[in-house]
Amino acid sequence: PVSGAHLNPAFTLCDVLAGKTQWKRSLGYVAAQVIGAILAGRLLAVLEIAPADDVQWFHALPELLYTSLLCFVTLNATCEEATRGNEFYGISIGMVYIAGGVAVGSTSAFNPALTIGSYASIPSFDIRKIITCLAILAAQCIGGAFAAQLFKVCRPHEYDSRVDQGEMTTKAAGEFIGTFYIALTLCLNTMTRSVAASWSMAAALMSATYSLATVASGANLNPSVTLGLLLSGRDKIDPKDGRLYIITQVFAGACAGIIAGIYARASNKLEPLEAGPGNPVLSEASNFATDFMFTSILVFTWLAMLTTGSDTQSFFGLAIASCVTASAVSALNPAVMLGQVVAVIVQGSSFGWGFLQALLFVAAELAGGCAGSGAFRLLYRREFDGHYLERMLHMSENPMGMQVGSQVAGNEREMAWKESVADFKNR
């Protein structure tokens, strides 16, 4: 109700470029943010609390990418008409710091004001640190500007009501962006030997799901989920769209692997990946079984949360992401698994586990998608009852406007239900 809680010059820039804030007002926001950060930095200097001293030029790459994700998530959570009045904006934004901060390290700021504030606490002048600071600042500002363009691609109807939200470009963009950041997060966690990889990846999945659930594709972000959605019936997805989603997701995973491999080579301090995916304490058979089981739970949860017309205004993203947290070490996503393989190749590390093991994990995850869809058909038999569909037409309006297949709002939701009822009766 005051300023919109930008708290970040990169987001303020993003908000202006997305047409959500006026330039004149944004200048005041940026000035206040920078002044506040400098005062905090000087306070740290007085208290003799030193900031992280291991920031290097190559940290500009993850700063650019995750600042972009932070701004993109914030735009979708706070400025998109379809998510207006939601209660998840705070957690979806905050989870970006869990995702990127754990994956990259304690040097992560994703905020130009925080970067300026941390360097303001340095007691002595150091030209090398100043140059590094400028590189990080430039990367963060570019990330904010890039996020505005991503928002325009995913939300073209925000700028032209004549544009169809269901265009193939919009669907592919939503799937690519979400899958890319999920895969990138796990690849970086794997390469840095993070002990909190599952928490970091779950945070990325939660932020992406909350941001993209109202995009035309419905935030599948996982070939296993798309396969499960296709097998769940009810005409919730066109097979052509399903093929597009899977191809886009795999391509996004490969791109994330390339970026993670390049970052690993630039940092020049990471060891070869010898352990491979899964829990090193468990046998290979146990790892495959675990991947299969939790992927089936993930797909079942996704179908139950986003395709049943349930009132899941605030908890659908948390419920879906918690499946990854519960798995502890599994990717639960074939696109992410393939991204890890690409990352190892680009990094130039040796395979202690081989391509065959990675392909077996992919097979286990796809089989888990089929099992999750089967469990959904067994436990949600009402979804295939025409009388139930008719009753759903008279239910109170879902605050999030969730509907079958793709989550859009208002009249499109009611029309989709009517078409589902008519199709069921005809069959």
Side-chain angles (χ1 to χ4, degrees):
V2 182
S3 65
H6 289 202
L7 312 179
N8 187 332
F11 175 69
T12 301
L13 173 63
C14 176
D15 211 37
V16 170
L17 295 178
K20 303 296 183 179
T21 298
Q22 297 178 349
W23 275 106
K24 293 181 180 180
R25 180 175 297 180
S26 68
L27 295 176
Y29 291 172
V30 172
Q33 293 157 359
V34 172
I35 292 172
I38 292 175
L39 292 176
R42 296 314 303 164
L43 177 60
L44 291 176
V46 171
L47 298 175
E48 297 184 352
I49 300 176
D53 195 34
D54 56 347
V55 181
Q56 303 293 330
W57 64 268
F58 50 79
H59 286 121
L61 178 59
E63 286 290 331
L64 187 156
L65 292 171
Y66 281 101
T67 301
S68 178
L69 176 61
L70 177 65
C71 295
F72 179 75
V73 170
T74 307
L75 269 180
N76 281 280
T78 60
C79 300
E80 162 59 18
E81 190 66 31
T83 59
R84 187 175 299 278
N86 71 78
E87 298 176 1
F88 56 73
Y89 63 92
I91 190 171
S92 64
I93 296 169
M95 282 296 160
V96 176
Y97 278 99
I98 302 297
V102 173
V104 180
S106 61
T107 58
S108 307
F110 315 145
N111 186 328
L114 296 184
T115 301
I116 294 173
S118 65
Y119 280 89
S121 64
I122 299 175
S124 60
F125 182 83
D126 189 328
I127 186 62
R128 290 179 298 178
K129 292 183 178 181
I130 297 299
I131 294 175
T132 302
C133 174
L134 293 177
I136 297 295
L137 287 174
Q140 292 166 342
C141 292
I142 293 172
F146 186 54
Q149 300 308 311
L150 294 180
F151 182 80
K152 291 179 179 179
V153 172
C154 290
R155 310 285 186 180
H157 59 284
E158 287 275 312
Y159 304 94
D160 188 350
S161 59
R162 297 170 298 177
V163 176
D164 181 12
Q165 187 181 356
E167 287 186 352
M168 301 298 282
T169 303
T170 302
K171 294 178 180 179
E175 290 300 311
F176 180 90
I177 294 168
T179 308
F180 173 83
Y181 277 106
I182 294 169
L184 177 67
T185 299
L186 187 61
C187 287
L188 291 175
N189 273 282
T190 301
M191 292 188 163
T192 56
R193 302 298 192 277
S194 171
V195 297
S198 61
W199 290 92
S200 182
M201 181 181 170
L205 175 59
M206 189 187 305
S207 294
T209 301
Y210 277 133
S211 300
L212 298 168
T214 53
V215 174
S217 68
N220 288 207
L221 314 180
N222 187 332
S224 296
V225 169
T226 302
L227 178 60
L229 182 58
L230 285 165
L231 295 177
S232 70
R234 304 166 296 158
D235 297 325
K236 299 302 178 75
I237 182 174
D238 190 300
K240 293 181 180 179
D241 289 346
R243 289 193 293 270
L244 172 68
Y245 297 169
I246 292 175
I247 293 172
T248 303
Q249 291 155 2
V250 171
F251 179 65
C255 291
I258 293 172
I259 296 297
I262 292 174
Y263 177 73
R265 292 181 69 91
S267 61
N268 197 29
K269 59 180 181 180
L270 303 177
E271 300 175 359
L273 291 176
E274 296 290 348
N279 190 332
V281 177
L282 302 177
S283 65
E284 289 187 6
S286 298
N287 274 316
F288 295 145
T290 301
D291 217 28
F292 167 82
M293 179 176 65
F294 281 101
T295 302
S296 66
I297 295 173
L298 171 67
V299 172
F300 174 81
T301 303
W302 192 96
L303 291 171
M305 291 286 102
L306 293 180
T307 70
T308 60
S310 302
D311 182 1
T312 56
Q313 179 182 12
S314 301
F315 301 109
F316 63 94
L318 177 61
I320 294 168
S322 294
C323 298
V324 175
T325 307
S327 72
V329 291
S330 299
L332 312 185
N333 190 326
V336 173
M337 185 61 64
L338 293 175
Q340 284 185 288
V341 173
V342 173
V344 172
I345 295 173
V346 174
Q347 183 188 1
S349 299
S350 59
F351 276 100
W353 35 285
F355 290 103
L356 178 59
Q357 187 177 354
L359 292 177
L360 289 175
F361 270 101
V362 170
E365 290 162 355
L366 292 175
C370 297
S373 180
F376 176 81
R377 293 179 71 98
L378 178 64
L379 297 177
Y380 277 81
R381 298 180 66 86
R382 67 183 187 183
E383 283 292 307
F384 306 91
D385 179 4
H387 295 294
Y388 173 76
L389 290 174
E390 287 184 310
R391 289 197 301 272
M392 288 298 295
L393 290 173
H394 303 291
M395 289 177 62
S396 60
E397 191 70 24
N398 188 324
M400 277 297 297
M402 292 300 177
Q403 58 100 359
V404 295
S406 60
Q407 288 69 37
V408 293
N411 295 331
E412 294 183 27
R413 173 178 179 270
E414 184 176 356
M415 186 179 300
W417 278 115
K418 289 180 179 179
E419 290 176 354
S420 298
V421 172
D423 180 67
F424 182 87
K425 288 182 176 180
N426 289 336
R427 288 187 280 118

